[in-house]
Amino acid sequence: MAVQRKFPRTYGASLLSLVNTPVDRCPGAKAHAKATGPLRVGVLFSGRQSPGGHNIISGLYDALKAHSADSTLLGFVGGYKGVFEKTTVEITPEVLSLYKNQGGYDLLGRSVAQMSNTELQAKVKTTCTDLKLDGLVLIGGTGTATTAAYLAEYFASENASTKVVAVPCTIDCDLKNQFVEVSVGFDSACKVYSQLISNICTDALSAEKYYYFVRLMGRKASHIALESALQSQANMVILGEQIAASKMTLFDITNKICDAVVQRSVDKGKHHGVILFPEGLIEHIPEVAALIEEINELVNSGVPSSSIASRLSPWSAALFAFMPPFIRHEFAEHREVDGYIRFSQIETEKLFAHLVEKEMERRTKAGLYKGKKFNAISYFFGYQARGSLPSNFDCDYANALGHTSVHLVAAGASGYMATVNGLKHDVTRWSLGGVPISAMLSSKPTMKGGATEPGVNANKVDLNSAPVKALYENATSWLLDDLYRNPGPIQFEGPSAEARPITLTMEDHSYVEQMHTLHKYLDQVKELVKPGCAPQALNTALSSLASLTQVLTILTGPASTFAAPDPLPSPRVSYVAGMWK
């Protein structure tokens, strides 16, 4: 139980639900006492821009003022830099009026940092103590959630009064799990990407002579590529998770695309098409992943980029030499602040356009392809969507998460992520609550046989999910028949203004609801089997629960050391009185 050992004070906390009903009317519910006086809360953007971030702050402000007119919301300017330097701006209606329903993070600016270092955690605690903050709200993705977990654990060890809450806000949507249905910004970004892709599809259909290779955001997970493919119905999408599961090589993928080009030419007389790639596809390819690992180790050990080729293992050196010069340069030169390869700068779309072009030339010379000359055009759709206006859905969802965060702080909940469930339904059916971030933490194996520190790791596309099955079912017709779909720009009025992400509407998000149902049954058992009950009832309950416990022990035991996050030892549901309008 690596997570439990690392987070002894915050591990195993209850799921929290925000209810608009007196807690005494919720059988078996454990109420959380709420602070009644004014609250002081700090907020910062941690991570890359995502549409809807400003509406989280708007929701925070509205909920704080509803809690007490004397409450204060402080925004940290420049993310953690503002925290360390105590640079804040007080959020007021005048400030919010310029940013509500607007994209970007320019109200406060942002930063990216990891807080597993106790020295940095201590600096954050000092700022929170000096500013007398009751709560600190971190807005971002997986790294932000990890930071919130470490800060909450450190604050608890130091008896700090500030409560730490994370809000899921990232276009990558790699925070989605059984608790988090989608992250703020995903809907807006995918709508923007889908329109751009659809415009390209229309151009391809009109010119009838180009294959467009389009790279989309999404390093660790292919959620954006999947949603954009379902929205636009492009001819082909290659998901990183598919490649990892099938262990396809660089040459396998190249041949797969070439086979599709030949099939379209032979069966339909078509010499155009649109192919989508996630930016992280390259590191899902086994031999390329091994090459990247070697390069990262060499660079981080101080080997200059000019000497990398000579220091690689024979297999990796051969693959490195095979790569086009521009890819070799990008592998060696483009680095993140942590020293690892910057995948957003690796032009995967150009790599495959190059490889496919070479293979099509070979097939043409060998008489295996007799269609028109293959022509490729490459695009990277990345930052165009990060700063877009948020969709109606993201505006409402972000606002609801802001409200929820205040109620969590008021209830004394720390180390929690604000959540909203039932998002595929009308807003009146949404359920607000919080999940302990410790329930999302896990360690990952390293290539050297060790393990990473516990963190909130990216959740990848489930290849057995309904959206992926729908993709598979339509793959052949979309490949051959050009059934392109253009959703157009983001709509704010009219019948499509409230449209949800296709993947969200197709997925089953009943986990939290089922957890509540489970605890209702457990409460009923407690009511039915009380002192004085019939011996038969007691014996039946004991034997049934003993058998159930044995089965659950087997099911919740990890299949391998790193197979899954540590399970919550005894999931409980607690309730926080409150209202969101």
Side-chain angles (χ1 to χ4, degrees), residues 244-258:
S246 59
K247 294 182 169 35
M248 292 181 70
T249 66
L250 200 63
F251 303 102
D252 292 334
I253 300 171
T254 301
N255 283 324
K256 179 182 177 69
I257 297 172
C258 290

Side-chain angles (χ1 to χ4, degrees), residues 174-297:
D174 52 5
L175 261 173
K176 69 186 298 183
N177 51 43
Q178 64 266 47
F179 307 108
V180 180
E181 297 181 5
V182 71
S183 54
V184 173
F186 176 73
D187 180 57
S188 306
C190 287
K191 282 183 166 70
V192 171
Y193 291 136
S194 298
Q195 184 202 5
L196 293 172
I197 294 165
S198 297
N199 292 347
I200 292 296
C201 290
T202 300
D203 188 76
L205 195 60
S206 302
E208 297 185 315
K209 61 179 179 179
Y210 298 116
Y211 272 88
Y212 292 89
F213 287 60
V214 180
R215 175 167 52 105
L216 301 166
M217 298 289 276
R219 175 189 167 186
K220 295 293 186 181
S222 306
H223 297 291
I224 289 176
L226 174 60
E227 175 69 24
S228 299
L230 293 172
Q231 289 277 4
S232 65
Q233 299 180 182
N235 298 109
M236 180 184 288
V237 59
I238 299 179
L239 305 178
E241 291 81 355
Q242 290 176 316
I243 302 307
S246 59
K247 294 182 169 35
M248 292 181 70
T249 66
L250 200 63
F251 303 102
D252 292 334
I253 300 171
T254 301
N255 283 324
K256 179 182 177 69
I257 297 172
C258 290
D259 291 344
V261 171
V262 172
Q263 186 179 6
R264 281 176 61 82
S265 175
V266 172
D267 293 357
K268 299 290 184 176
K270 296 176 179 179
H271 302 92
H272 61 273
V274 179
I275 306 170
L276 309 181
F277 307 85
E279 69 175 350
L281 174 67
I282 196 76
E283 68 173 328
H284 287 87
I285 303 170
E287 71 274 24
V288 181
L291 169 61
I292 290 171
E293 181 76 13
E294 285 192 38
I295 293 175
N296 284 336
E297 289 184 2

